[in-house]
Amino acid sequence: MAYIHTPIRPALIAACALSALLAGCNEIPGLGPDPRTVAKENEARAIGGACRHAMRGLEDCYALNPKSAKGMVFEGWKDMDSYMREHKIEGTPSVFTQKPATRRSRNDADNEAADTESPSRS
């Protein structure tokens, strides 16, 4: 029998070479998730964890951060909750959401004291 020589197609060679080159790549630039989306998800997880550490409920956390993805906020809250329970960490109440005591000027305090001392005229 005679051996018949068939030429190897250049497209087949190029496809094999390309697949061999890409086989070692874990991440190809431009084909992964958008970095802005990943950053927003990470920020939402961090917000959820901070809310749990500040002893806030999920509903309060959602209300304070309406633009954050609720699923990611919950995931961060849940992760922080399990971490705090595992390591027996107590939460710390937030001081930023509490209303500060209003400082009165000296004149206001003097006027108020004078009003309480004077008899009322009706």
Side-chain angles (χ1 to χ4, degrees), residues 5-19:
H5 184 274
T6 57
I8 299 176
R9 296 185 179 155
L12 180 63
I13 293 173
C16 290
L18 183 62
S19 65

Side-chain angles (χ1 to χ4, degrees), residues 44 47-48 51 56-71 73-74 77 97:
I47 287 170
C51 282
R56 286 194 192 112
L58 277 173
E59 294 80 15
D60 296 337
C61 195
Y62 294 153
L64 290 171
N65 304 287
K67 292 184 179 180
S68 298
K70 289 184 178 181
V73 169
F74 173 69
W77 194 94
T97 56

Side-chain angles (χ1 to χ4, degrees), residues 36-114:
R36 292 174 289 186
T37 305
V38 173
K40 285 182 182 180
E41 289 176 355
N42 290 339
E43 182 179 354
R45 281 191 193 111
I47 287 170
C51 282
R52 172 58 185 101
H53 191 263
M55 298 189 317
R56 286 194 192 112
L58 277 173
E59 294 80 15
D60 296 337
C61 195
Y62 294 153
L64 290 171
N65 304 287
K67 292 184 179 180
S68 298
K70 289 184 178 181
M72 293 294 131
V73 169
F74 173 69
E75 188 175 319
W77 194 94
K78 186 174 66 170
D79 290 344
M80 180 59 85
D81 183 58
S82 65
Y83 178 82
M84 289 174 69
R85 288 177 190 268
E86 181 181 328
H87 296 286
K88 297 177 183 162
I89 299 173
E90 292 296 321
T92 308
S94 176
V95 294
F96 292 112
T97 56
Q98 298 172 357
K99 292 183 180 178
T102 57
R103 296 186 69 185
R104 298 184 307 183
S105 67
R106 188 174 189 180
N107 292 337
D108 290 341
D110 291 341
N111 290 340
E112 187 176 308

